[in-house]
Amino acid sequence: MKGKKILSLGLTLCMGMSLVACGSSAETTTEGAKTETTTAVETTATETASAETTESGVPSYSEITVGEDYTDLTASIKWMHHKTDREEDGTIAKYIEEFNKVYPNITVQTEGITDYAQTALLRIPTGDWGDIMFIPAVDKDELSTYFMPFDTLEAMDKEINFANAWEYDGLSYGVPYMGNAQGVVYNKAVFEAAGVTELPKTPEEFIAALQAIKDYDSSIIPLYTNYAAGWTMGAWDAYIGIVTEGDNTYFNQKFVHTADPFSDRGDGAGIYNLFKILYDAVALGLTEEDYTTTDWEGCKGMINNGQIGCMVLGSWAYQQMVDAGEHGEDIGYMPFPISVNGVQYANAGADYSYGINVNSSDENKIASLVFVKWMTEESGWCAFEGGYTVDKDGENPELYAAFDSCELLIDEPALSGEETFLNDMNAESELGFNAGGNTKVQAIIEAADQGASFDDIMADWTARWNQAQESLGIEVNN
Amino acid sequence: MGKIHKWLRSRQGQQAVVIITFSIIPLLLLFVFTYFPFAEMFKFSFYDMKYVGERKFVGLKNYITVFQRDDCFRALWLSLYYMGGAVIQLALALYLATVFCFGIKGGDFFKGCMFFPYLINGIAIGFIFKFFYTRGFVLDTVLGWLGFDLENLPYWLKDTSINNVSLVATSVWKYFGQNMVLFIGAMMSVDSSLYEAAQLDGANKWQQFRYIMLPSIKTIVMLNLIMSITGSLSAFEPPYVIMSGGGNGTATYFVKMHEIAHTNQKVGLASAMAIVLLLIIFVVTILQKLFFAYVFKDAEDEDKNAGKKREKQLAKAMKKQKAREGRA
């Protein structure tokens, strides 16, 4: 009797414990993620200043000639990537097959991972990820802990674009598989039919072009804002800096120190004129009738069949618009219509970059180097994806034809010691530039539609910016 | 040792063991997942902090900011729309519940139809109504059949004079069925002989409702009203989903709080906002209780102290009588 009681008590407790365990296990995962980041920071602190130069047995990226060196090398390497769609449709297998025609003894295994950004960060510290991976969001001062430098930044700059994407201490740790450029996706047929033969280079020309489209056929929406999707509004922030100022140190370095970044300088450039384009387009009725019910999935087909003139989106969107209907050949991509002192600038950025495991054997490192260089120079993958060429000598796909006339720049990282400034300013001012600040851009559309003043919005931004600078104690230069 | 053992085997001891073993798990869960996070949030409200990184104690600064920012309290005014909606919703639910209660053909089918929206996920409802309100889509088409001209119809979500009403309508649509079912449940529990008696005395349907049904279900009415008002103070899904994050002047207090906490990473300020809202909800609930205590006063069968009063009166009367008798 007593034994039974104790047993039942024990059982109850057991069940209780397992319940509690169930409940708290969810917590542990988030906790785990937290500790993960903290340990990562700790490693940074104790980071050794190794990997100053490349190791003796392994050549550098620029020393290898693809197709000539190491063709008889035998090795088996593993590559972890996020392109599960290309894994499934056999594109990656096809490239590896091509690669093996030149390098028959190098076996390449692949592992495609969905939810890559998080999984990769968790796998990195274990070291169990093979020889090549696409570098996830690790801190730059940690790069040498996990990855082998390809070469010095100087040497890499001669070989590839975006060499500074994963640069630390003068060494380059990553080679992007493709680049992206920021411009405007548009329907060539619509622009032509409306009589816009030359692509607009300034805000006035752009608004005039939109007006021409409206005059040509009022059923076409000249500029589709995608207000309702939210993030598509925040996408306007991507043009701040290089496009608006013609300066690749502006966004990450100077912006936070500027006293009045949102004032109208009267030169047709600057952040003021970037958002003025949006305001004017809405105020003049050159956007969709009801912005609150825009439809992101629907807009792809609409621009494809000529119901939309253009949309302000990064070049990654180009392929989706092409694939969305039967008139893919009508879709074009143009630089953003702002000129700084007569020069049109465009910003480009690296997509995911290949990184090579610093702890792999020398043979595997060499094989990985050869593979990465072959993928970059010979595979044609970058062009296939519609990316901006990574190989310095590579041809750009047709969509970047309009970018030939403009100056292409890549954002410089923040100055050391100031890495957190932009994030802090974004949070404190609640403007969130390039950091989810969608509502502030939506507010511009609302103001334009309801007849509120644009200058008031800019004045409000300036006030919030200055207040944030003051409360964070960030030095302001005039 | 023996004493404890003996106590454990006693009736009292057994009771204690059972109570502790059965309640420790729910209490533990309640503490871990409700009270502890709440205490943490209360602590956060005194700090200037992001999710990661340093935390700085700032005292009451966050609370002062909540009261100084005009966007926080302007957002609370929007709750008035939702409160208005809540009143309409309860009236509608009460009316329909009464109709169903007095019997109607196909009642169960209609009940099912009206309760159904409550079962749909709030996000899905958001998407349904996004298309429902789109220019030239469902609502405009239906109104077109009724003879309205599209030109004269407003943009349901764009026009700031009407978009909050549109959003409130979605939440009324979702919740009135649930309120109605609760009311029907309560009404069913009223003894039907009371109605018969009232009918014999010549009471009409309205009088039956006013004097029998309503007093009998007042607890449920009050509960529903308190829940709806609390719900309207914390409205989130309609503006967040339909208006993509509360654009166009539809950002309620919750949407604002979400934006401050997650987009702007001002965790301390958002926590302070949450505490302020909690206090507001307390105040509103207490006010409602007082209001109802007043409204339903005459509906009470009897004052709780009535018995005592009567005895007192009786005693007084007796005394008087005795005194009179004495005099006599």
Side-chain angles (χ1 to χ4, degrees):
Chain A
M1 187 62 198
K2 206 165 112 193
K4 242 187 189 170
K5 260 185 196 163
I6 290 172
L7 185 74
S8 63
L9 187 72
L11 262 175
T12 327
L13 274 179
C14 247
M15 276 154 69
M17 287 318 247
S18 57
L19 251 183
V20 173
C22 267
S24 58
S25 72
E27 255 200 359
T28 356
T29 21
T30 44
E31 279 290 299
K34 254 186 228 158
T35 25
E36 216 282 309
T37 38
T38 40
T39 43
V41 174
E42 272 160 30
T43 2
T44 321
T46 57
E47 189 245 335
T48 48
S50 70
E52 285 288 279
T53 48
T54 42
E55 272 118 279
S56 50
V58 184
S60 69
Y61 184 86
S62 36
E63 284 164 17
I64 293 174
T65 312
V66 171
E68 287 175 24
D69 298 337
Y70 301 106
T71 42
D72 52 354
L73 183 73
T74 307
S76 174
I77 56 174
K78 199 180 136 201
W79 170 30
M80 196 166 101
H81 64 85
H82 69 288
K83 297 293 283 183
T84 44
D85 51 337
R86 295 297 177 226
E87 178 91 52
E88 273 158 28
D89 69 9
T91 313
I92 283 175
K94 196 188 77 195
Y95 290 138
I96 292 172
E97 200 181 303
E98 290 285 317
F99 174 72
N100 281 339
K101 283 182 189 157
V102 193
Y103 297 92
N105 301 324
I106 300 179
T107 327
V108 184
Q109 283 177 298
T110 59
E111 185 184 356
I113 292 177
T114 44
D115 190 21
Y116 185 81
Q118 263 130 55
T119 314
L121 271 181
L122 292 172
R123 291 272 290 274
I124 266 200
T126 69
D128 173 33
W129 48 267
D131 307 286
I132 306 172
M133 83 188 293
F134 281 137
I135 306 176
V138 296
D139 285 339
K140 289 206 169 179
D141 47 10
E142 279 181 72
L143 283 169
S144 59
T145 322
Y146 305 119
F147 300 106
M148 174 193 100
F150 281 93
D151 212 331
T152 60
L153 180 63
E154 211 179 324
M156 286 304 279
D157 248 340
K158 289 178 190 133
E159 297 277 333
I160 59 166
N161 293 318
F162 318 109
N164 69 352
W166 290 106
E167 173 266 345
Y168 188 72
D169 250 355
L171 295 170
S172 190
Y173 290 88
V175 174
Y177 83 99
M178 66 180 261
N180 290 310
Q182 300 290 340
V184 178
V185 57
Y186 73 110
N187 189 306
K188 286 191 270 192
V190 169
F191 269 62
E192 248 168 63
V196 185
T197 46
E198 225 168 274
L199 288 176
K201 288 189 164 54
T202 63
E204 293 86 53
E205 288 173 19
F206 186 63
I207 295 289
L210 298 181
Q211 187 66 53
I213 294 171
K214 177 151 187 169
D215 294 343
Y216 159 70
D217 182 352
S218 60
S219 70
I220 299 174
I221 301 163
L223 172 69
Y224 197 72
T225 63
N226 270 317
Y227 171 100
W231 58 268
T232 41
M233 292 270 80
W236 282 74
D237 292 340
Y239 305 92
I240 295 174
I242 290 174
V243 171
T244 61
E245 321 292 328
D247 182 350
N248 60 359
T249 61
Y250 187 84
F251 189 69
N252 289 323
Q253 297 176 13
K254 296 179 185 162
F255 190 27
V256 293
H257 296 293
T258 312
D260 56 345
F262 313 114
S263 65
D264 184 15
R265 295 191 301 261
D267 60 352
I271 299 169
Y272 180 94
N273 284 296
L274 168 69
F275 290 110
K276 189 79 173 22
I277 291 178
L278 181 61
Y279 180 89
D280 285 345
V282 176
L284 294 169
L286 302 173
T287 53
E288 66 281 331
E289 204 179 358
D290 182 1
Y291 55 82
T292 51
T293 50
T294 58
D295 173 17
W296 164 246
E297 288 306 323
C299 82
K300 300 177 188 172
M302 282 163 77
I303 194 172
N304 188 291
N305 62 29
Q307 287 169 272
I308 290 175
C310 63
M311 294 191 279
V312 175
L313 292 168
S315 67
W316 55 267
Y318 172 84
Q319 200 58 44
Q320 293 192 25
M321 304 302 155
V322 170
D323 295 340
E326 291 165 6
H327 304 282
E329 73 283 354
D330 286 348
I331 305 295
Y333 202 69
M334 64 169 153
F336 199 84
I338 281 184
S339 296
V340 184
N341 299 324
V343 184
Q344 214 177 353
Y345 292 88
N347 56 341
D351 208 299
Y352 268 114
S353 301
Y354 302 98
I356 296 177
N357 197 338
V358 71
N359 297 319
S360 290
S361 67
D362 279 2
E363 280 86 55
N364 281 16
K365 279 180 185 168
I366 297 169
S368 304
L369 265 174
V370 168
F371 179 70
V372 170
K373 194 158 187 176
W374 186 87
M375 284 299 279
T376 310
E377 293 183 356
E378 304 293 329
S379 72
W381 193 25
C382 174
F384 176 75
E385 297 284 352
Y388 194 90
T389 180
V390 173
D391 181 16
K392 265 269 149 76
D393 310 320
E395 285 283 311
N396 262 327
E398 178 62 25
L399 84 123
Y400 296 107
F403 282 72
D404 287 344
S405 62
C406 66
E407 186 94 15
L408 199 81
L409 296 176
I410 296 158
D411 268 321
E412 291 286 326
L415 297 174
S416 68
E418 298 191 353
E419 287 92 345
T420 63
F421 278 20
L422 184 60
N423 278 342
D424 292 345
M425 284 292 288
N426 270 335
E428 189 63 29
S429 67
E430 295 180 15
L431 290 169
F433 287 104
N434 234 352
N438 308 331
T439 41
K440 69 169 191 303
V441 187
Q442 288 180 328
I444 291 175
I445 295 185
E446 291 158 18
D449 186 64
Q450 288 147 19
S453 147
F454 179 68
D455 287 345
D456 283 355
I457 296 179
M458 289 299 116
D460 175 48
W461 288 14
T462 310
R464 280 153 83 169
W465 200 247
N466 292 343
Q467 206 180 356
Q469 282 166 330
E470 197 187 326
S471 66
L472 291 169
I474 288 176
E475 194 189 334
V476 180
N477 310 321
N478 284 310
Chain B
M1 194 61 214
K3 225 176 169 183
I4 292 173
H5 194 237
K6 203 175 164 198
W7 181 78
L8 273 177
R9 296 198 55 171
S10 73
R11 190 178 159 77
Q12 258 187 331
Q14 290 284 306
Q15 248 175 1
V17 168
V18 167
I19 288 170
I20 290 170
T21 45
F22 272 94
S23 55
I24 192 150
I25 294 156
L27 281 180
L28 206 66
L29 289 173
L30 189 67
F31 177 77
V32 169
F33 294 105
T34 307
Y35 294 127
F36 178 66
F38 178 77
E40 281 287 293
M41 190 187 74
F42 189 63
K43 194 181 89 190
F44 290 166
S45 70
F46 297 105
Y47 284 82
D48 180 8
M49 58 178 280
K50 293 183 181 178
Y51 286 102
V52 286
E54 271 176 65
R55 295 169 183 186
K56 204 172 77 197
F57 185 78
V58 291
L60 288 172
K61 187 170 154 264
N62 286 326
Y63 288 92
I64 296 167
T65 317
V66 172
F67 286 97
Q68 275 174 345
R69 286 174 68 121
D70 53 348
D71 56 347
C72 291
F73 275 86
R74 204 169 49 213
L76 267 185
W77 284 113
L78 285 184
S79 303
L80 289 181
Y81 280 102
Y82 290 87
M83 284 183 193
V87 172
I88 294 171
Q89 172 187 321
L90 286 179
L92 191 67
L94 201 53
Y95 172 71
L96 288 168
T98 315
V99 170
F100 281 126
C101 228
F102 286 129
I104 187 174
K105 267 197 192 119
D108 283 339
F109 173 74
F110 288 116
K111 256 185 258 175
C113 287
M114 287 170 190
F115 184 68
F116 177 66
Y118 181 69
L119 302 175
I120 309 176
N121 175 302
I123 307 293
I125 288 183
F127 283 114
I128 292 171
F129 277 94
K130 206 169 183 160
F131 289 106
F132 183 76
Y133 287 130
T134 299
R135 188 78 169 162
F137 274 50
V138 189
L139 184 57
D140 290 347
T141 316
V142 172
L143 290 176
W145 291 337
L146 297 177
F148 284 92
D149 195 5
L150 185 65
E151 291 300 309
N152 300 328
L153 291 174
Y155 289 87
W156 300 107
L157 296 176
K158 188 170 116 172
D159 192 337
T160 45
S161 61
I162 197 160
N163 58 6
N164 280 305
V165 177
S166 308
L167 294 183
V168 170
T170 66
S171 103
V172 171
W173 180 76
K174 176 172 179 181
Y175 289 106
F176 88 87
Q178 184 236 9
N179 287 165
M180 186 188 75
V181 168
L182 285 179
F183 285 146
I184 292 174
M187 285 169 180
M188 291 296 191
S189 67
V190 179
D191 189 353
S192 59
S193 59
L194 283 174
Y195 295 120
E196 277 166 36
Q199 245 165 355
L200 285 177
D201 282 346
N204 61 19
K205 290 275 187 212
W206 163 250
Q207 283 163 336
Q208 286 178 30
F209 171 77
R210 174 69 186 83
Y211 295 104
I212 298 173
M213 201 179 261
L214 198 57
S216 320
I217 61 163
K218 74 163 208 270
T219 325
I220 290 288
V221 174
M222 221 166 86
L223 180 75
N224 265 337
L225 193 69
I226 288 177
M227 300 278 271
S228 316
I229 299 282
T230 311
S232 28
L233 281 167
S234 40
F236 179 74
E237 277 163 5
Y240 190 75
V241 180
I242 304 176
M243 289 304 294
S244 49
N248 226 5
T250 59
T252 55
Y253 196 80
F254 256 48
V255 173
K256 201 76 216 166
M257 202 158 81
H258 167 82
E259 194 187 320
I260 286 175
H262 297 123
T263 313
N264 302 320
Q265 299 261 314
K266 290 185 178 173
V267 181
L269 181 60
S271 302
M273 281 179 80
I275 301 282
V276 169
L277 182 67
L278 180 75
L279 295 179
I280 291 172
I281 288 177
F282 275 159
V283 170
V284 171
T285 311
I286 289 168
L287 283 180
Q288 282 185 86
K289 280 220 79 130
L290 291 177
F291 174 73
F292 274 102
Y294 177 76
V295 166
F296 282 114
K297 215 166 148 192
D298 61 328
E300 287 277 358
D301 284 339
E302 210 171 42
D303 204 308
K304 267 178 205 142
N305 300 322
K308 256 186 206 162
K309 257 189 216 160
R310 207 163 30 224
E311 260 166 43
K312 241 185 201 168
Q313 266 173 352
L314 212 66
K316 242 187 197 168
M318 295 261 282
K319 235 185 198 170
K320 262 187 195 165
Q321 207 175 358
K322 249 183 200 166
R324 223 180 291 146
E325 269 168 20
R327 246 183 283 149

